[in-house]
Amino acid sequence: MTTAEPGAPTTTSAGRDSRVPPPIWLRAEPSRARRKPPLTLGRIVDTAVTVLDEQSIEGLTMRCLAQRLDVTATALYWHVRTKDDVLDLAVDRIFGDVPVPDVSDDWLADIRVLVRGWRGAMLDHPWAPGLVGRPMLGPNVLARTEFLQSALVRGGGSGLQLAVATRMVANYVIGAALTEATWHRFADPDARAAARAHVAANAGAYPTLDASGHLDGDRWDDDVLFEQGLNGILLAAARAGGAVSKPVSRKPTEF
């Protein structure tokens, strides 16, 4: 039994002093140790994309990734085995940002929408174009490749022509994005003007390049060049698709 005024020291039956605790409303919140969010494959990939955007492929290491996630490198290996695993997952993640359009009656327009989004995603992540040549089996990549080929099939493509048209479109958008991303990332703002001046100063050696305005960024911007090139690629794909609807006896190499 204890006897004491509120807030004053009390004596317990065991002879120990204690105090009556204040009301709960007046008590300070107990300190709690900060809990780390659980390590998941999604967190690993999101963080890897951030590191790649900041430091490109060379700056991404398993140690750096573990530090960003505030875990040990050993913890990472429960989810991924190698840096290549991380790169494959990162590429597939950004492909998830590429809109898959609704299927319309215009297969060429459907491809244009897909390819524009594809280019945009790679320009947003300049490290990506150089990795797209790797075997891409992620669900986001396969879903968009499926859409591309299904559109080409609707345009009449099949067999060798379908394979060629798929590669034409894919190689074009990857190559265009790689060229643009590399130039924007590494080139000095005055580099293109200097390159153009070099061509002009040597017009005798390069008359066609000089007359065409080669490397003249003020004549046509990247968007215009990309769209016009895409039109040419799709026109070739359309012609190939139309050709397979007629009997042909030519050898495959005579495409």
Side-chain angles (χ1 to χ4, degrees):
M1 180 175 181
T2 62
T3 58
E5 295 180 1
T10 61
T11 303
T12 66
S13 57
R16 296 191 302 270
D17 287 343
S18 65
R19 291 182 180 276
V20 176
I24 189 171
W25 316 110
L26 302 179
R27 298 178 206 164
E29 282 283 334
S31 61
R32 292 186 176 90
R34 180 177 64 86
R35 288 188 175 184
K36 298 179 183 178
L39 183 63
T40 63
L41 190 59
R43 279 191 65 217
I44 292 172
V45 178
D46 287 343
T47 303
V49 169
T50 298
V51 174
L52 287 164
D53 287 346
E54 294 173 357
Q55 304 180 32
S56 195
I57 298 170
E58 297 76 13
L60 179 69
T61 65
M62 298 298 273
R63 177 178 296 181
C64 169
L65 187 56
Q67 290 174 344
R68 286 290 189 100
L69 290 162
D70 195 19
V71 299
T72 64
T74 302
L76 286 180
Y77 292 114
W78 285 100
H79 300 272
V80 289
R81 292 184 179 181
T82 65
K83 176 179 173 178
D84 284 345
D85 288 350
V86 177
L87 293 175
D88 289 342
L89 290 164
V91 170
D92 196 64
R93 172 59 55 85
I94 69 162
F95 261 77
D97 297 333
V98 179
V100 179
D102 295 329
V103 175
S104 73
D105 294 333
D106 189 340
W107 63 276
L108 287 169
D110 291 350
I111 291 177
R112 284 191 178 91
V113 173
L114 178 76
V115 168
R116 287 167 184 157
W118 183 358
R119 170 184 176 240
M122 289 192 291
L123 292 180
D124 287 341
H125 306 280
W127 48 269
L131 294 175
V132 176
R134 299 158 60 87
M136 296 282 99
L137 300 176
N140 291 323
V141 171
L142 290 181
R144 284 145 185 84
T145 307
E146 169 68 21
F147 183 90
L148 171 60
Q149 280 215 339
S150 68
L152 291 168
V153 168
R154 285 188 282 125
S158 66
L160 175 63
Q161 285 79 7
L162 175 60
V164 171
T166 302
R167 181 165 292 190
M168 286 168 59
V169 174
N171 286 354
Y172 174 69
V173 65
I174 294 168
L178 179 61
T179 300
E180 292 178 52
T182 302
W183 183 270
H184 294 163
R185 181 182 174 196
F186 293 108
D188 182 90
D190 298 326
R192 181 168 292 186
R196 173 61 188 145
H198 175 74
V199 172
N202 293 275
Y206 314 114
T208 307
L209 296 182
D210 179 56
S212 70
H214 184 58
L215 301 180
D216 186 353
D218 294 331
R219 180 172 292 193
W220 299 291
D221 66 20
D222 289 336
D223 291 340
V224 171
L225 293 172
F226 179 81
E227 288 294 330
Q228 291 301 313
L230 179 60
N231 286 341
I233 293 292
L234 293 181
L235 178 60
R239 287 174 175 168
V244 299
S245 63
K246 302 176 183 179
V248 294
S249 59
R250 292 173 297 176
K251 297 178 181 179
T253 54
E254 297 174 351
F255 173 68

